[in-house]
Amino acid sequence: MLKNTLKVTICAIALSGCGVFAPVAAPELHTYQLEVVKHADLQTQCPANNWNTILQITHVRADAPYDTFNMFYSDAPYRLSPYVKNQWVSLPSAMLTQAIQEKILLSCKYASVISADIMTNAKYRLTNQVVNLKQTINGSSATFNMTVISHLIDNKTNQVIKSNTFDVELPVEATPKGYIEGANQATGKFLDELIAWLKQ
């Protein structure tokens, strides 16, 4: 009996020494942020305007699963997978909200651009909803896909003045780096199209 107990103890010590019970090292995590509008550009001075129209921008909403920190790719129909070692530093919806505010401010289209958190008598309200934000991989090639639905609303009547679906698709590398570069480029293209649409 003592001999059997001793064997079990030796086996346990041996297994422990082999690292079976040792802590598993967590994989290194890389985080990224959208880099579209440079803050230095906010020094741009808009010319004096003869209107005082205020635009209120609501926080961007993102459909599941894009309302998380995950960076998703699809390598088969109807399948989404997150990059395990790569993710957003902040929610993409929050970063996109800031980028939209800054871009519209620089466009000089409105006298003021404010957040939905502020009580105001803004004439118009802009809403944006992300319904697609992924990298589609097909073998060694890939594309980045971004789809945003935007509505311009009259705050007084709460009626939709106009709406548009912005669908951007760009070729990228089939890597996490390609995902990030595609996300930045797609966001820049979306913002340019959004400004052009608002000015129509």
Side-chain angles (χ1 to χ4, degrees):
M1 181 68 177
L2 180 60
K3 183 181 290 186
N4 289 340
T5 304
L6 184 59
K7 286 181 179 179
V8 172
T9 304
I10 292 174
C11 289
I13 294 173
L15 288 173
S16 178
C18 291
V20 174
F21 300 106
V24 178
E28 183 180 0
L29 184 64
H30 304 280
T31 57
Y32 303 88
Q33 64 181 7
L34 283 175
E35 296 180 354
V36 182
V37 179
K38 303 300 182 183
H39 292 281
D41 293 342
L42 293 179
Q43 301 301 320
T44 301
Q45 295 295 319
C46 293
N49 298 314
N50 58 358
W51 71 86
N52 59 356
T53 304
I54 300 174
L55 177 67
Q56 185 179 37
I57 300 177
T58 63
H59 294 286
V60 173
R61 292 185 299 130
D63 288 359
Y66 308 114
D67 55 347
T68 66
F69 294 90
N70 291 326
M71 296 164 39
F72 287 99
Y73 67 90
S74 175
D75 56 3
Y78 312 109
R79 183 169 69 188
L80 277 178
S81 303
Y83 280 109
V84 177
K85 298 181 181 180
N86 303 270
Q87 69 176 29
W88 293 112
V89 70
S90 180
L91 289 175
S93 57
M95 293 186 290
L96 191 55
T97 297
Q98 181 179 1
I100 290 172
Q101 291 175 337
E102 293 179 350
K103 188 70 174 182
I104 294 179
L105 185 62
L106 290 172
S107 74
C108 298
K109 164 67 177 174
Y110 299 95
S112 181
V113 179
I114 62 173
S115 167
D117 296 329
I118 302 175
M119 295 298 294
T120 180
N121 58 348
K123 185 174 182 179
Y124 300 115
R125 181 171 80 254
L126 178 68
T127 68
N128 297 279
Q129 181 178 1
V130 177
V131 297
N132 191 17
L133 190 72
K134 71 175 183 292
Q135 181 186 49
T136 303
I137 299 175
N138 184 13
S140 59
S141 62
T143 58
F144 189 86
N145 306 94
M146 179 180 189
T147 305
V148 182
I149 301 174
S150 301
H151 298 285
L152 186 65
I153 302 169
D154 186 315
N155 262 344
K156 185 175 182 180
T157 63
N158 211 33
Q159 296 295 311
V160 175
I161 299 172
K162 59 179 181 178
S163 61
N164 195 37
T165 299
F166 300 93
D167 197 2
V168 182
E169 181 176 316
L170 299 170
V172 296
E173 294 180 4
T175 62
K177 178 183 177 183
Y179 176 103
I180 292 300
E181 291 177 350
N184 288 335
Q185 293 174 17
T187 300
K189 192 172 189 300
F190 156 67
L191 292 175
D192 289 340
E193 293 179 0
L194 177 66
I195 297 302
W197 174 71
L198 288 173
K199 289 184 175 181
Q200 290 175 353

